[in-house]
Amino acid sequence: MKKITKLTLSAFAICLLITGCGDNNATLKNNHTIVKTDEGSIKTDTLYEELRDKYGISILVDMIDHQLLDEKYKTDELEEETINSQIEQMKSQYNNDEETFNAAIRQYLGVEDEDELRDLLSLEYKRNLAIEDYVKDSITDDEIQKYYDDEVIGDMKVRHILISPETTDDMTTEEKEKAEEEALK
């Protein structure tokens, strides 16, 4: 029997739970077996708990962000151009092979198709807009400069200073020595 990957099992389970065969609540309440193997079985409540614990919070956060950000930041031409550019760049990494591209976005990004990818990229685009707005409203230029001065550059400890005279290949040895003395002064 072929091994069923977690991703395949999760996708199957999500489809089963979403589409179901009748009343999903009744299925969950009755704790039906949804997968049976030689090693045992998986029941609906076990699957539900596992999916809820692993993916529930991130899915909920994405849903909340969609509601809030889609209302505040309406999709505009710049967003569409940005998303199209990102998708074209991704496709070019896979030599514009649709099958390979779709397999890659399923595996690495957890999206089923280009429409879901667009949705994901749109959410990330709007999250970045929200972050930029937050930073503009809450961080002053003086705070940025202070952080840059204190943290990025900070105190420098110099152990060696290289002094290099301005010389050219066509200068004589005497001229080079004189230029070196001037640089040292």
Side-chain angles (χ1 to χ4, degrees):
M1 182 173 162
K2 290 184 179 178
K3 287 188 176 182
I4 299 175
T5 65
K6 285 185 179 182
L7 180 61
T8 305
L9 181 59
S10 296
F12 171 73
I14 290 170
C15 290
L16 181 66
L17 289 174
I18 291 172
T19 58
C21 297
D23 184 5
N24 285 338
N25 290 332
T27 302
L28 288 175
K29 288 178 188 172
N30 293 332
N31 196 22
H32 291 210
T33 300
I34 56 172
V35 175
K36 193 178 250 186
T37 66
D38 294 340
E39 288 79 27
S41 63
I42 299 173
K43 297 194 176 257
T44 54
D45 66 340
T46 305
L47 175 65
Y48 174 75
E49 293 294 323
E50 187 78 15
L51 291 173
R52 187 191 69 197
D53 292 345
K54 285 188 178 177
Y55 306 107
I57 296 299
S58 64
I59 291 171
L60 180 61
V61 167
D62 286 354
M63 291 171 71
I64 292 168
D65 283 355
H66 261 300
Q67 281 188 334
L68 297 174
L69 298 175
D70 287 348
E71 183 177 320
K72 183 171 182 176
Y73 302 100
K74 303 295 183 197
T75 300
D76 61 6
E77 196 172 300
L78 179 59
E79 178 183 341
E80 289 292 331
E81 288 173 8
T82 303
I83 290 170
N84 288 338
S85 173
Q86 289 174 323
I87 290 174
E88 289 307 312
Q89 183 180 9
M90 289 175 177
K91 284 182 177 181
S92 72
Q93 291 175 345
Y94 299 101
N95 298 322
N96 294 316
D97 180 353
E98 286 292 322
E99 189 175 317
T100 305
F101 171 73
N102 287 329
I105 64 173
R106 274 193 296 280
Q107 180 176 358
Y108 297 118
L109 300 174
V111 295
E112 289 301 313
D113 54 30
E114 192 173 319
D115 289 337
E116 282 188 30
L117 177 60
R118 287 183 180 283
D119 190 48
L120 175 70
L121 293 174
S122 174
L123 181 59
E124 288 304 313
Y125 181 87
K126 290 174 182 178
R127 282 176 173 157
N128 286 332
L129 290 177
I131 290 168
E132 288 174 12
D133 285 350
Y134 175 78
V135 168
K136 279 188 234 174
D137 294 342
S138 62
I139 299 176
T140 66
D141 288 340
D142 291 338
E143 290 172 321
I144 293 171
Q145 187 62 48
K146 183 178 180 337
Y147 177 81
Y148 180 78
D149 292 340
D150 295 346
E151 302 295 328
V152 176
I153 294 177
D155 295 332
M156 289 186 182
K157 294 179 182 170
V158 179
R159 293 182 172 203
H160 179 81
I161 298 175
L162 178 63
I163 298 174
S164 174
E166 292 184 30
T167 60
T168 60
D169 290 338
D170 61 338
M171 293 176 88
T172 66
T173 306
E174 288 176 358
E175 291 173 326
K176 288 181 181 178
E177 287 175 359
K178 187 175 180 183
E180 198 170 317
E181 285 177 26
E182 288 295 319
L184 287 172
K185 287 180 185 177

